Amino acid sequence: MMKKDDCIFCKLANGDIPTNSIYEDDDFNVILDASPATKGHALILPKQHYANIYEIDPEVLSKAALLAQKVIKHETPILKCDGYNIVQNNGETAGQTVFHFHMHLIPRYAADNRPEDVSWGHKEFSSEEFTEICNDMKL
């Protein structure tokens, strides 16, 4: 297993530092965020070290997405939340502060009325610009 000795999330994922773990298997540890945005805010942490989505093994990434679905389906009725944000940041400019791939599972509650917590500004582009962007981005 590939771990980084100086990575705090490697230590959390692998039990080197105590956590409030809600799920664990051979590949992942799902823990409550120590600085939660809402009640029940959890992190999916791979036990192996990958800095971001660019580096993560595609099979592990697929497992993480399936695990996110499993967790939120289980936790929604328990937490009585009204929705979920699944957030995964890549790079400092995108808000990544710990450079170990992780997914935030953030329960949302209608009573909080805080949609701005995960919003961003909107840009406007002409139809020509959209066409150019689309053509440039085609896989």
Side-chain angles (χ1 to χ4, degrees), residues 23-36:
Y23 175 86
E24 185 172 6
D25 64 23
D26 291 341
D27 298 311
F28 299 97
N29 198 347
V30 181
I31 66 170
L32 294 181
D33 193 303
S35 183

Side-chain angles (χ1 to χ4, degrees), residues 56-89:
I56 194 167
D57 178 271
E59 186 177 324
V60 177
L61 179 59
S62 296
K63 288 179 179 180
L66 292 170
L67 181 54
Q69 180 188 46
K70 178 179 182 170
V71 171
I72 68 172
K73 280 183 167 183
H74 176 78
E75 299 297 339
T76 295
I78 291 168
L79 295 169
K80 297 178 179 55
C81 59
D82 302 297
Y84 256 92
N85 290 114
I86 299 173
V87 179
Q88 201 284 307
N89 301 318

